[in-house]
Amino acid sequence: MRVHRLLTLSIVSLPVIAFTLVSNTVAVGQKKASPAPVTATSTQPAVESLDLDMYARIREEGFRHSHVMEYSSALFDDIGPRLTGSPAMARANEWTRMQLAAMGLSNAHLESWGDFGMGWTQLGSSLFLEKPSHGVIVAQATPWSPATNGVITADVVAVHGLTEESDFAAYKGKLKGKVILYGHAASSPEIDPNKVPAMEHYDAKKLAEIEQYPLNDDMKDVIPVNNVDAIRKVTNGWAFQERVAKFFSDEGALLVLEPGGADGVLSDDTNSSFGWFVYSPEHKQPIPEEVIATEAWNRMSRLLEQKVPVTVTAQVNTQFSGDHEQGYNTIAEIPGTDPKLKDEVVMVGGHLDSWASGTGATDNGAGSVVAMEAMRILKSLDVKPRRTIRIALWSGEEQGVFGSYGYVQSHYATLHFSQAKEDASIPVFVRVMTAPPTLKPEAAKFDAYFNMDNGTGKLLGVFAEGNSAIAPIFKQWMEPLSDLGMTTVSERNTGSTDHVWFQQAGLPGFQFIQDPRDYDSRTHHTSLDVYDHLSPDDLKQAAVIEAIFLYNTAQRDQMLPRPQLPLNLKDKQIEGLFPDALK
């Protein structure tokens, strides 16, 4: 999941929580009291005690004896795509549990976070052009699309510009037995013939930009949007698309074709479906749908504009496996050994679920196997951490960051979000908080959570999430890692993934800064999200750094400084500000 594709009217990537954290400023080398943990206040040392011998041992194990690509092939090539609630996701949960147990971790188990919705698997999808000439069109079923009634051959009709229900009248009685060429946008998608898919690398200039906190609060590509009006506009769009799908189905249409990406890349998630909540039985999509190459969509659109009949043969072969599948996280740990600190917990993780068009390698299988490899490194070195080090591989992230939300709610805090009638259609993960979180007893023993979820690129730094007290600590940890490219601490917030719930609970949760590579341009939620787009060297580097961060956190005398409890509340307008305003 990626932050900058947050909220647009065309319903692109998942909207996520935004919040502001306020912390005490600490200069490097200055001793100052940290923000208070739940039960006690501790003084942070001016100088971190670093075990450089352990740094060297972790490097040796992680770079010369890595298993990260073996985990990758087994998970992505064998188990494949892991849509939340699907049988493949269940296999991935059990496989990761078994692997974590096999490497010697304790208490390897699956933990339910509750009822998710419908289980769904894409068994196969096909599309062939029959008229005016023969051709093969690459196609994928949209998530939770129903199946066609076997192989169908039908004429294609274009439907454009549906923005309100009054637009339905123009197509009444014209769609029975047809395949619909449909786009959420009114006009045909455009292809830039000069565009080259980008392989982006963050250079020193870009990292310096990320490190600077913008005084105008413009976080650009690293901060979620917190705009309730914009979110409501998007959710209203989802509701309208559900009505469009019902109209198409009621009219007897057989299949819908949606443009899904150019240059051989098919983008396929619920942004292409008829509504965000198609995984829920109450919002089940009533008509089969495929995303197809934008070039093919445009070709058929041009032909139909010129009154040239278009006929296709298609099949959507999908399978549902239950209306109320449980969501599970995979959990395991290395127990702490210090009598005073062993009940305190340091966590690492990533989301194990993926979309279905690729095999979920970069989003976010990479984050999952890196976390597994970091734990394997520590266990293989027979590390005896003072605190417990725990891994969590989440599910349901792509549909609403459900796995980590359920875990935080179960263990650490009750989060309070708007229950207003006008917010009923807004997913909880983008609702405004109505009160600070109510912390649970386990929160007093929670130290920190580290997350990776921006592709296969190497780690270049870490977002401090507005926690100024943490920045000098991380900078000291990273100095011996500068030769690996780990150099930048940014006090900016970042979002879109599983660390946000920890932050929302006032607990330290961090996302690493990653080199983008082709995550945005090629692999994010696309059919190219596969093993071949992984960078083995970068994944090894990431696992080494995660292992070092986990070790350092587990060995400190103090827990890491906490942010103040976030208050993601609506700003109240100042009353009586303008003396001449009408009363």
Side-chain angles (χ1 to χ4, degrees):
M1 192 170 294
R2 187 65 169 172
V3 173
H4 73 274
R5 300 180 183 182
L6 201 53
L7 281 176
T8 73
L9 299 183
S10 59
I11 316 176
V12 284
S13 198
L14 180 66
V16 291
I17 306 159
F19 48 88
T20 302
L21 301 175
V22 182
S23 302
N24 297 323
T25 302
V26 170
V28 177
Q30 178 182 356
K31 186 177 291 186
K32 185 178 178 69
S34 71
V38 176
T39 57
T41 300
S42 60
T43 300
Q44 299 294 327
V47 177
E48 290 291 297
S49 177
L50 302 182
D51 185 346
L52 296 182
D53 178 63
M54 182 57 69
Y55 272 59
R57 293 178 63 202
I58 289 173
R59 282 177 177 242
E60 173 76 13
E61 179 65 26
F63 284 116
R64 297 196 175 183
H65 308 286
S66 176
H67 291 276
V68 71
M69 297 311 292
E70 296 169 54
Y71 292 140
S72 296
S73 185
L75 181 58
F76 313 142
D77 293 337
D78 191 346
I79 296 176
R82 303 165 302 283
L83 198 66
T84 302
S86 69
M89 184 68 232
R91 288 186 65 202
N93 277 134
E94 181 58 22
W95 177 83
T96 51
R97 186 199 66 77
M98 291 176 62
Q99 293 304 314
L100 295 172
M103 65 177 71
L105 302 191
S106 300
N107 196 26
H109 67 282
L110 305 184
E111 187 171 318
S112 173
W113 46 262
D115 186 337
F116 167 66
M118 296 183 294
W120 180 89
T121 301
Q122 177 177 213
L123 302 177
S125 296
S126 62
L127 183 66
F128 303 97
L129 188 66
E130 300 287 354
K131 293 179 181 179
S133 58
H134 292 281
V136 177
I137 299 174
V138 178
Q140 293 265 2
T142 58
W144 289 280
S145 166
T148 55
N149 186 16
V151 177
I152 61 170
T153 298
D155 294 334
V156 178
V157 58
V159 176
H160 301 303
L162 299 184
T163 58
E164 54 188 36
E165 290 193 47
S166 61
D167 296 332
F168 296 173
Y171 299 96
K172 191 77 174 174
K174 300 178 180 179
L175 304 179
K176 186 175 179 61
K178 305 294 185 183
V179 169
I180 296 174
L181 192 70
Y182 180 66
H184 289 174
S187 59
S188 300
E190 294 184 359
I191 303 293
D192 181 357
N194 297 314
K195 182 179 179 180
V196 177
M199 177 66 75
E200 182 183 7
H201 297 287
Y202 282 171
D203 56 16
K205 180 180 178 181
K206 178 63 177 179
L207 289 173
E209 176 188 334
I210 293 174
E211 192 170 19
Q212 294 297 311
Y213 197 93
L215 299 183
N216 64 355
D217 205 35
D218 180 8
M219 295 293 189
K220 295 182 180 177
D221 60 339
V222 297
I223 185 69
V225 175
N226 189 18
N227 184 323
V228 175
D229 291 337
I231 291 170
R232 285 178 179 151
K233 194 168 186 177
V234 171
T235 56
N236 288 338
W238 294 338
F240 177 71
Q241 291 306 325
E242 287 192 37
R243 295 195 293 274
V244 170
K246 185 176 186 305
F247 170 70
F248 288 164
S249 178
D250 289 346
E251 288 294 301
L254 303 178
L255 172 67
V256 177
L257 304 178
E258 181 96 12
D263 301 319
V265 183
L266 284 185
S267 181
D268 190 16
D269 56 27
T270 43
N271 293 306
S272 298
S273 301
F274 285 99
W276 185 264
F277 302 101
V278 289
Y279 58 83
S280 169
E282 295 78 19
H283 299 268
K284 187 173 183 179
Q285 186 167 305
I287 187 168
E289 183 186 15
E290 290 180 321
V291 291
I292 65 173
T294 298
E295 294 90 341
W297 193 96
N298 285 343
R299 177 187 178 187
M300 287 189 280
S301 181
R302 290 190 298 267
L303 288 168
L304 293 171
E305 286 175 0
Q306 298 301 318
K307 312 299 183 185
V308 177
V310 176
T311 303
V312 296
T313 293
Q315 182 176 23
V316 176
N317 188 6
T318 60
Q319 186 176 75
F320 289 87
S321 52
D323 286 348
H324 299 282
E325 297 294 333
Q326 290 285 296
Y328 291 95
N329 301 318
T330 307
I331 311 291
E333 62 192 24
I334 302 174
T337 58
D338 188 305
K340 294 183 178 180
L341 303 179
K342 63 182 181 180
D343 292 333
E344 296 177 1
V345 176
V346 182
M347 292 189 68
V348 67
H351 72 86
L352 187 60
D353 64 299
S354 76
W355 293 109
S357 59
T359 58
T362 66
D363 188 19
N364 180 35
S368 296
V369 296
V370 163
M372 292 174 66
E373 173 67 1
M375 296 296 282
R376 187 203 65 80
I377 290 170
L378 295 174
K379 190 62 183 176
S380 68
L381 296 177
D382 198 27
V383 166
K384 306 293 185 185
R386 300 177 70 189
R387 294 179 177 84
T388 294
I389 301 176
R390 182 176 298 161
I391 183 174
L393 302 178
W394 317 108
S395 63
E397 193 271 355
E398 294 290 3
Q399 291 76 44
V401 207
F402 291 137
S404 53
Y405 174 71
Y407 189 85
V408 169
Q409 287 269 95
S410 175
H411 292 273
Y412 299 124
T414 300
L415 303 176
H416 307 286
F417 295 100
S418 172
Q419 300 297 319
K421 184 177 180 180
E422 61 269 23
D423 292 336
S425 63
I426 298 178
V428 65
F429 56 92
V430 285
R431 292 187 189 180
V432 172
M433 292 182 74
T434 55
T438 303
L439 295 176
K440 298 184 175 184
E442 281 187 70
K445 299 294 186 180
F446 179 83
D447 197 338
Y449 171 71
F450 298 99
N451 194 78
M452 173 178 156
D453 181 18
N454 283 148
T456 184
K458 64 183 178 182
L459 305 187
L460 303 174
V462 63
F463 291 104
E465 300 288 334
N467 187 346
S468 298
I470 206 76
I473 296 171
F474 286 166
K475 285 178 180 178
Q476 291 180 63
W477 292 5
M478 288 163 51
E479 189 172 348
L481 302 173
S482 60
D483 61 324
L484 301 183
M486 187 71 173
T487 60
T488 304
V489 177
S490 174
E491 291 199 27
R492 298 182 183 210
N493 310 111
T494 188
S496 288
T497 189
D498 293 287
H499 73 290
V500 295
W501 291 121
F502 294 91
Q503 287 290 113
Q504 287 289 72
L507 304 172
F510 305 102
Q511 168 85 341
F512 290 103
I513 301 169
Q514 281 185 259
D515 197 38
R517 298 180 61 86
D518 60 351
Y519 184 64
D520 289 320
S521 62
R522 299 281 279 176
T523 69
H524 180 257
H525 295 192
T526 76
S527 54
L528 294 187
D529 188 6
V530 294
Y531 178 96
D532 306 80
H533 283 264
L534 296 173
S535 171
D537 291 342
D538 287 358
L539 295 180
K540 292 176 186 177
Q541 182 257 22
V544 165
I545 289 171
E546 278 197 358
I548 288 172
F549 266 62
L550 290 170
Y551 180 80
N552 285 349
T553 308
Q555 298 303 101
R556 297 180 86 245
D557 290 334
Q558 305 83 6
M559 288 198 293
L560 290 175
R562 296 190 174 195
Q564 293 182 16
L565 285 176
L567 296 176
N568 183 29
L569 308 176
K570 276 188 176 180
D571 291 332
K572 292 184 177 179
Q573 191 172 11
I574 300 175
E575 295 182 4
L577 181 63
F578 290 86
D580 295 320
L582 296 176
K583 303 299 183 184

